[in-house]
Amino acid sequence: MTTQPERLHHLLDRARRGVILPAEGEAPAGLVAELEADVHRYEEVVVGDLNEVNTGLQRQAARAEAAITRVRQAVERETETVPVGDYL
């Protein structure tokens, strides 16, 4: 059994050589439509997966930024209560 791409390449090769049969003439259009539908489904899955990963990364970045803010605030509080001479 040949796959869609193999069948399409076979038909395109025959068309280039000018030996395609009239009955074969419509086959490429159907194969291309099937391949386009496969690509569309694949893109939906990939884009969905990428969106999910992107959302996770945005959440991680927000948590990291919040942690940095808390650390900065803690450092600021500590430096306000310690006399300057204690740092030297």
Side-chain angles (χ1 to χ4, degrees):
M1 182 175 164
T2 59
T3 64
Q4 292 171 336
E6 289 171 347
R7 181 74 179 137
L8 183 58
H9 284 292
H10 172 75
L11 291 171
L12 289 173
D13 179 60
R14 290 178 56 81
R16 285 187 188 120
R17 292 185 289 132
V19 294
I20 196 163
L21 299 173
E24 295 174 322
E26 294 300 315
L31 290 169
V32 168
E34 288 176 30
L35 291 170
E36 286 174 339
D38 289 347
V39 167
H40 181 70
R41 283 189 298 275
Y42 175 77
E43 286 174 342
E44 286 178 345
V45 169
V46 169
V47 169
D49 290 348
L50 289 174
N51 284 339
E52 188 175 317
V53 169
N54 186 39
T55 300
L57 290 173
Q58 288 176 347
R59 288 180 182 147
Q60 286 179 357
R63 286 191 296 270
E65 288 176 15
I68 290 169
T69 301
R70 286 192 303 274
V71 168
R72 281 188 180 143
Q73 290 170 346
V75 168
E76 288 172 2
R77 281 193 303 274
E78 288 297 317
T79 57
E80 288 175 1
T81 59
V82 177
V84 175
D86 290 350
Y87 287 109
L88 301 176

